[in-house]
Amino acid sequence: MTTCNFPPADAGIPALRAAPPRSGLGLKPEHFRTILDTLPELGFFEIHAENYMVDGGPFHHYLTRIRSRYPLSIHGVGLSIGGQDALDEDHLDRLAALVARYEPLLFSEHLAWSSHGEVFLNDLLPAPYDAASLQRVCDHIDRVHERLRRRMLLENPATYVEFAASTMTEGEFISEVVRRTGCGLLLDVNNAYVSCINHGRDPATFIDTLPLAATAQIHLAGFDRDADAAAAGEVLLIDSHGAPVAQAVWALYRSALHRTGAVPTLIERDHDIPAFPVLLAEARRAETLLQAVGAERAEYA
């Protein structure tokens, strides 16, 4: 394996190492037995960390067996990296134990907040892109690196509203976070598409503003279409993870791969979970594009 092309390690934290450029699937309990019975050809599985923050139980029983056969990625949804409070050290301890137990290839979290004071909000909310927020996010990521003794990936969010007080663009903000902390980028192509359509921007142009050299994983998912009651019924896309990947997102993914090169790509589905072969077909579509881009880049290298 080779290291990613972004800031080197410091303070004794190892550099993030590039994972094999394969496609993977989010691991769902509905598919535990099918996976173990059929052992499908896949690059990796990904779990949500918060579903496994206990010592035992059936989830760990199956995950241990699946982990013995496949690489794993762990994706956090509860650290509240973009929040104003200090990170929850108990949560971070449980996360560190999970990472030590399963030794995933990658660990990632969102550029978002979900808790404030003693209140936990069951959503991933946007942060303002200003100097104060930048410092807090960098401090939080430094703390994650220190506690986990590994580099994390930061995911660009899906947003429906923005702060008028922001003083930099999302691309500028994430680029500065990567530069200061040495974290990697989880490029969520669906999030980029959803946010840009909601805010009237061009998704491909937005992706070009991100620190793409730091991309170590890509997420693909489906969205729902709604009407924005605050904007005269204009279209509002919801990052639902409850539908197949849209054709527009597949096209944006292919375009992005030509900028990032072939990197591990996850198909996410968290609602209306279909039969396993349906998701496997989407993963294989991503794998075909990864191989095609890898071959094209090798030809012109």
Side-chain angles (χ1 to χ4, degrees), residues 28-47:
K28 298 301 169 191
E30 294 90 333
H31 301 148
F32 284 160
R33 291 186 179 278
T34 299
I35 292 165
L36 290 170
D37 289 344
T38 62
L39 298 179
E41 177 62 27
L42 270 173
F44 66 101
F45 284 99
E46 182 167 287
I47 61 167

Side-chain angles (χ1 to χ4, degrees), residues 152-196:
M152 60 167 279
L153 311 183
L154 185 66
E155 177 181 337
N156 57 293
T159 60
Y160 313 100
V161 294
E162 296 179 303
F163 284 85
S166 290
T167 57
M168 57 188 92
T169 67
E170 185 174 309
E172 291 169 341
F173 189 93
I174 294 176
S175 295
E176 188 61 13
V177 171
V178 168
R179 187 189 72 78
R180 291 191 188 188
T181 68
C183 74
L185 173 67
L186 194 172
L187 172 58
D188 192 312
V189 177
N190 187 62
N191 285 358
Y193 184 80
V194 164
S195 293
C196 287

Side-chain angles (χ1 to χ4, degrees), residues 19 27 88 99 102 111 129 163 169-170 198 212 223 241 255 264 274:
L27 183 60
D88 182 334
V99 168
Y102 289 106
L111 175 55
Y129 299 137
F163 284 85
T169 67
E170 185 174 309
N198 288 343
L212 297 179
F223 57 78
H241 295 190
S255 171

Side-chain angles (χ1 to χ4, degrees), residues 120-144:
F120 177 78
L121 304 166
N122 191 28
D123 209 340
L124 297 169
L125 300 167
Y129 299 137
D130 58 18
S133 183
L134 177 64
Q135 187 60 56
R136 283 195 298 272
V137 168
C138 290
D139 289 345
H140 289 166
I141 291 175
D142 287 344
R143 177 58 187 144
V144 173

